Amino acid sequence: LCPQVHSLQELRRSASLATKVFVQRDYSDGTTCQFQTKFPPELESRIERQLFEETVKTLNGFYAEAEKIGGSSYLEGCLACATAYFIFLCMETHYEKVLKKISKYIQDQNEKIYAPRGLLLTDPLERGMRVIEISIYEARCSSGSPSSGSSSSSSGGGGGG
Amino acid sequence: MPAASGKRFKPSKYVPVSAAAIFLVGATTLFFAFTCPGLSLYVSPIIPAYNAVVFLFVLANFSMATFMDPGIFPRAEEDEDKEDDFRAPLYKTVEIKGIQVRMKWCATCRFYRPPRCSHCSVCDNCHPLTAPRPRQEFDHHCPWVNNCIGRRNYRYFFLFLLSLTTHIMGVFGFGLLYVLYQVEELSGVRMAVTMVVMCVAGLFFIPVAGLTGFHVVLVARGRTTNEQVTGKFRGGVNPFTNGCCRNVSRVLCSSPAPRYLGRPKAEQTVLVRPPFLRPEVSDGQITVKIMDNGIQTELKRTKSKGSLEVTESQSADAEPPPPPKPDLSRYTGLRTHLTLATTEDSSLLGKDSPPTPTMYKYRPGYSSSSSSAALPHSTSAKLSRVNSLKEPNSICDSGHKPSYRSEPSLEPESFRSPTFGKSFHFDPLSSGSRSSSLKSAQGTGFETGHLQSIRSEGTTSTSYKSLVNQTRNGSLSYDSLLTPSDSPDFESVQAGPEPEAPVGYTSPFLSARIAQQRETDLHGRFASTASPKHAAPREPSPVRYDNLSRHIVASIQEREKLLQQPPAPGQEEDAGLADSGIQSTPGSGNAPRTSSSSDDSKRSPLGKNPLTRPALPRFGKPEPPPALRVRSLGSPDQPAAPHLGKSVSYSSQKTASQAGGPETEEVALQPLLAPKDEVQMRTAYSKSNGQPKSLGSAPPGPGPVPLSSPTRGGVKKVSGVGGTTYEISV
């Protein structure tokens, strides 16, 4: 059995980064922050399509909510103006709040869905909201170059067993 | 003046902002000091209060505009541009609300600049130690605030302008009031100061108001200064506008966007540990869609364990479009291997598959390559699982598909699909590079050897690829080959109209079986005639043709069986499929030697397969689409035709040399369907005949080109319909 690991560094003993998939932005609706829901081929054998699509759609929903122009954001703007923006020192903006939700959601997805499949989502915020970066890990319990595909999975299975 | 840090300290860049600040603060202070007391006394105390509020507003927006990050993108990590960097076209077009917008590749940032994103020349030059970074929704660089105006701080900049205009107007107006009404004695210090302040205000009012008006228009139109000045949307439509009201509200009322730089790095607490789960492919949930020469066939596997949806994206491939690939169903049969390496029965295509086999074109090599958006030419054979079962056999004959690289060979479809599935299995799973390499490796072989199998379904190339894959992988099993249940589907997949009755057209799977059967016969027959190259039909041929031989043998045997008994479609086809696969192997093995060119050799294994295939159609779908096949043969036919001829010649020679082997199926490679069918029919019945010459003479027209291929010991060359040559190890 692979040893318990408590950091990504240790993880690399048993799982190594094989490749990264980048889910690009979907600009079809302007510059609003949306990501493509097209299923990347590299993930074909790693995760079910609907799980991935659901993740991306949820993220898109979050970003739409963050950029939503409504009563709450208007009031927030007025309040900020009224206080000469000193309010930003005390309170976080609506966008920031949604970003926190997103980050929590991504972590949750990673823990529950993606990490067990050898994948890791990276918060798009770290990439400037340009891409969703999905890291694909391959198991390698023994030394050797990580191989992608079934062989790696089999080795992963062997490693995990 | 050199700075210790190495950063160039340019005081000149601070001049405008300093001047602006001085004027603003100074003038206002004077106003408050000298004018307001009198005004508050004699007119109203509200005036100073109002002005104070406005001034505060101005200051706040000024500060925010100055110090807020406009939305600078973090640099792209190296992994992101791996694929883009070397092959990236300079521009990538995206469609925004129906309007094509170009995104430029930014070499410094190593990503495609999002729309409206730009570098700031001023800021980049001033901070040489920092890598220049683009600003999101870059508006302009404002010297008065010494900052770039971008997405995040545009609102503050705009409000700063508005408030400053208001403030200037207020100061000027109240000063004028003070002077005109002579609130206090005219010749006082206060009056003088007020006059000065008024002059300053009046002086600054004109440019500031002008700029404010300009930006009001920009906001209403939803443009940035950059776009306006460069005239991007001068005559055209701005894709970024949502209407005047929405644009204004977006600027003013939206929540401030976050900054990208300087954020605390989130601690990665999620552990990625093997074993990893793999998605399950449930029965009937996967749709196999194989695109073959632009023909998209979606096989709905009602009974199959599942289907793989393989979509190939057309990409500008240098290679000529390969002939239509073998029936997708065959591939689906292989899919079992694809999916979690389950030894699913090959009856993926089930019995329900429509009679017309779909020609599918699968390019495993391209499957992953298409993943990168920036790949200039990625033919992606995307294998995707679709949860819905789709009705199969919607074959769209779309003619040439550049991405279709399968070789039109007479490889038995059954053979092909298993291997294909295998290769496919590994290709998408493997990195894109691998598939690409596979692609390229096989490209020449495939492209040059467009063995146009009449039935052609591109399985030959597929199988070839799969064979190569197998050799690479070593882990490929040939179980799928032995599960010829795909054959019926494969046959059904073949979309083209088969002019010949089912009799003449044997399903690939069946043909594989028959071929297998034949092979066994052949072994017996040719034992005396030639030193068998392969001791046993199933003797593994050298290295990578191991599987081929097995397949070919299997297909031959399958054929034999079929000939002997009316086939139960599923089983027989399965066997045939396996057989065809096996049968094709020896053919491929011998191909290099027999064929005149390496291309032929590559193709001949594929060609071999169709050999068995002719037998199969008999059992397979009633109407394999001969038209389709012809089409497929035709379009990419050109390069393959000569090869076909060559292989035909080889096979015919071989068959000629091997007298009386029923397994000697010589099907001249012909792009014509009819002869192929005829040959197939003959080959199907060749068992009884055992006369190679009958086969040889079968195909009219292009007919059997004189075969010059030497007979490998124990290897029988059979020409399949369409001119594909199979080499069957005896």
Side-chain angles (χ1 to χ4, degrees), chain A residues 58-79:
Chain A
T58 312
L59 285 176
N60 284 345
F62 275 128
Y63 287 117
E65 182 197 337
E67 295 178 355
K68 188 174 67 96
I69 301 166
S72 62
S73 59
Y74 179 71
L75 284 176
E76 184 186 51
C78 287
L79 185 67

Side-chain angles (χ1 to χ4, degrees), chain B residues 268-287:
Chain B
Q268 183 64 265
T269 57
V270 180
L271 305 182
V272 178
R273 233 185 310 173
F276 298 140
L277 299 178
R278 296 284 171 167
E280 292 284 339
V281 174
S282 55
D283 288 1
Q285 279 189 351
I286 294 178
T287 303

Side-chain angles (χ1 to χ4, degrees), chain A residues 4-5 11 20 22 27-28 42 44-46 49 73-74 85 95 107 116 125 127-128 130 148 150 153, chain B residues 61 73 77 79-80 96-97 111 114 253 255 269 271-272 276-279 371 383-385 426 429 431:
Chain A
Q4 283 284 337
V5 291
L11 273 179
K20 288 186 182 180
F22 296 99
Y27 291 110
S28 60
E42 290 88 349
E44 185 59 49
S45 62
R46 304 300 299 256
R49 179 189 287 261
S73 59
Y74 179 71
Y85 307 113
Y95 210 114
Q107 182 159 7
L125 188 62
R127 300 283 173 265
R130 290 180 297 104
S148 53
S150 59
S153 61
Chain B
N61 284 308
F73 283 113
E77 285 195 359
D79 321 32
E80 193 176 340
I96 300 179
K97 294 184 191 169
F111 52 77
C253 308
S255 189
T269 57
L271 305 182
V272 178
F276 298 140
L277 299 178
R278 296 284 171 167
S371 61
L383 182 67
S384 53
R385 285 190 226 100
F426 288 96
L429 294 184
S431 62

Side-chain angles (χ1 to χ4, degrees), chain B residues 478-534:
Chain B
Y478 301 100
D479 297 347
S480 60
L481 289 176
L482 300 175
T483 55
S485 60
D486 297 18
S487 54
D489 293 334
F490 195 91
E491 290 304 319
S492 60
V493 171
Q494 291 182 11
E498 168 118 277
E500 190 128 44
V503 173
Y505 177 85
T506 38
S507 70
F509 296 90
L510 290 178
S511 59
R513 221 175 269 137
I514 293 172
Q516 211 172 31
Q517 295 167 354
R518 288 213 194 101
E519 173 129 351
T520 49
D521 290 355
L522 192 65
H523 281 298
R525 279 181 219 207
F526 285 92
S528 55
T529 51
S531 54
K533 181 179 169 61
H534 302 281

Side-chain angles (χ1 to χ4, degrees), chain B residues 134-154:
Chain B
R135 278 86 176 132
Q136 189 174 17
E137 283 188 38
F138 178 75
D139 194 271
H140 67 284
H141 177 89
C142 181
W144 307 107
V145 298
N146 192 36
N147 195 13
C148 294
I149 307 300
R151 180 187 172 195
R152 292 181 73 224
N153 56 0
Y154 184 77

Side-chain angles (χ1 to χ4, degrees), chain B residues 241-489:
Chain B
T241 182
N242 301 316
C244 174
C245 294
R246 286 212 185 164
N247 293 336
V248 173
S249 63
R250 190 179 156 264
V251 169
L252 299 179
C253 308
S254 64
S255 189
R259 67 190 149 109
Y260 301 134
L261 303 182
R263 295 193 75 91
K265 196 81 177 171
E267 193 61 40
Q268 183 64 265
T269 57
V270 180
L271 305 182
V272 178
R273 233 185 310 173
F276 298 140
L277 299 178
R278 296 284 171 167
E280 292 284 339
V281 174
S282 55
D283 288 1
Q285 279 189 351
I286 294 178
T287 303
V288 181
K289 180 161 82 172
I290 299 176
M291 289 170 51
D292 179 4
N293 275 344
I295 299 170
Q296 286 198 12
T297 307
E298 282 189 21
L299 293 178
K300 175 173 160 185
R301 310 197 54 117
T302 50
K303 294 189 190 167
S304 61
K305 310 274 163 65
S307 53
L308 290 171
E309 180 178 88
V310 178
T311 57
E312 276 191 32
S313 62
Q314 297 298 316
S315 64
D317 258 342
E319 291 133 280
K325 287 197 180 204
D327 173 35
L328 188 56
S329 59
R330 183 169 305 162
Y331 175 75
T332 43
L334 296 175
R335 179 196 52 71
T336 59
H337 300 271
L338 189 96
T339 62
L340 308 179
T342 57
T343 51
E344 263 183 342
D345 161 83
S346 61
S347 57
L348 283 177
L349 295 178
K351 318 294 197 241
D352 296 354
S353 53
T356 54
T358 336
M359 312 248 275
Y360 76 99
K361 163 175 72 170
Y362 172 74
R363 267 173 142 178
Y366 301 95
S367 57
S368 313
S369 58
S370 60
S371 61
S372 162
L375 279 182
H377 61 274
S378 51
T379 317
S380 56
K382 191 166 53 171
L383 182 67
S384 53
R385 285 190 226 100
V386 175
N387 283 344
S388 60
L389 283 182
K390 301 182 199 173
E391 278 304 335
N393 308 329
S394 57
I395 297 166
C396 317
D397 184 8
S398 63
H400 303 263
K401 282 254 179 197
S403 58
Y404 179 80
R405 306 170 95 214
S406 63
E407 289 212 26
S409 67
L410 294 178
E411 248 178 28
E413 295 178 357
S414 58
F415 169 69
R416 269 184 237 158
S417 51
T419 54
F420 175 79
K422 289 204 173 65
S423 59
F424 186 86
H425 169 58
F426 288 96
D427 279 340
L429 294 184
S430 59
S431 62
S433 58
R434 174 159 155 203
S435 53
S436 312
S437 58
L438 180 63
K439 190 168 44 172
S440 56
Q442 298 170 341
T444 46
F446 287 119
E447 292 314 322
T448 52
H450 286 290
L451 289 183
Q452 310 286 344
S453 57
I454 307 256
R455 298 197 171 191
S456 84
E457 280 83 32
T459 42
T460 47
S461 59
T462 311
S463 55
Y464 180 76
K465 282 185 200 148
S466 56
L467 287 176
V468 178
N469 263 341
Q470 292 169 349
T471 56
R472 279 186 198 189
N473 249 329
S475 57
L476 292 172
S477 65
Y478 301 100
D479 297 347
S480 60
L481 289 176
L482 300 175
T483 55
S485 60
D486 297 18
S487 54
D489 293 334

